[in-house]
Amino acid sequence: MTFQSKLKYAACLILTAFVTAGTVSADNLTAESRAALNQLVAQNPAAGKVKSKAAAVLVFPDVVKAGFIFGAQGGKGILFVHNRPNGQYRTVAASHGLQAGVQKYGYALFFMNQKAVDWINNTRGWEIGTGPSVVIVDKGMARSFTTDTLHSGIYAFTFDQQGLMAGLGLQGSKIMRD
């Protein structure tokens, strides 16, 4: 590994630590996650349809993404199984490239079958894009979404985007149980 690569890697780690360093109590995180999920379902009928069929939902109410050439994003969330909290999770990601800005958003992952729920509970950390297929539901897809079109193990919805940063992607986000 070259010195430049080590420097980039160190900068990404420092930025990731900075972005994800929040001290939210478990009770507050559960309340924030539940409120975010309720708001998502109220504002997005497609999310409501998916939730009605989901075996579990992992909600990250506040993910912060920041970067200037090197970037990082991170946040904490709660897994709800049958509407009850069933674990606290952390999401992190690092990147480099032509980027600048700060953005805050939330996202929810809907696990549509027990196999997907078992998979997240039995891995020591997974990256979106390396596990079961994740379908990111955008506004265009949400308009034509029905319960008959549910064919994936996991569906992702983003919400409450604020700030200035080009692009929002979940690919490469690592999710670990706290």
Side-chain angles (χ1 to χ4, degrees), residues 17-69:
F18 172 73
V19 168
T20 62
T23 55
V24 177
S25 75
D27 290 340
N28 285 346
L29 182 59
T30 299
E32 289 175 16
S33 297
R34 189 178 306 279
L37 178 59
N38 290 338
Q39 182 179 353
L40 171 64
V41 168
Q43 293 176 351
N44 188 329
K49 291 174 188 173
V50 174
K51 182 180 183 267
S52 72
K53 300 285 185 181
V57 183
L58 178 54
V59 182
F60 293 99
D62 291 315
V63 178
V64 177
K65 180 179 183 178
F68 183 75
I69 302 183

Side-chain angles (χ1 to χ4, degrees), residues 74-126:
K76 291 185 175 185
I78 297 292
L79 177 68
F80 294 98
V81 178
H82 303 297
N83 221 16
R84 282 181 267 179
N86 193 327
Q88 184 172 315
Y89 287 77
R90 174 184 305 269
T91 180
V92 296
S95 60
H96 71 280
L98 202 52
Q99 58 186 327
V102 177
Q103 185 175 49
K104 181 181 164 198
Y105 64 98
Y107 73 92
L109 298 172
F110 294 83
F111 298 86
M112 302 312 295
N113 54 50
Q114 192 58 46
K115 183 179 176 183
V117 176
D118 292 343
W119 189 81
I120 190 174
N121 283 326
N122 295 327
T123 58
R124 294 182 47 84
W126 60 285

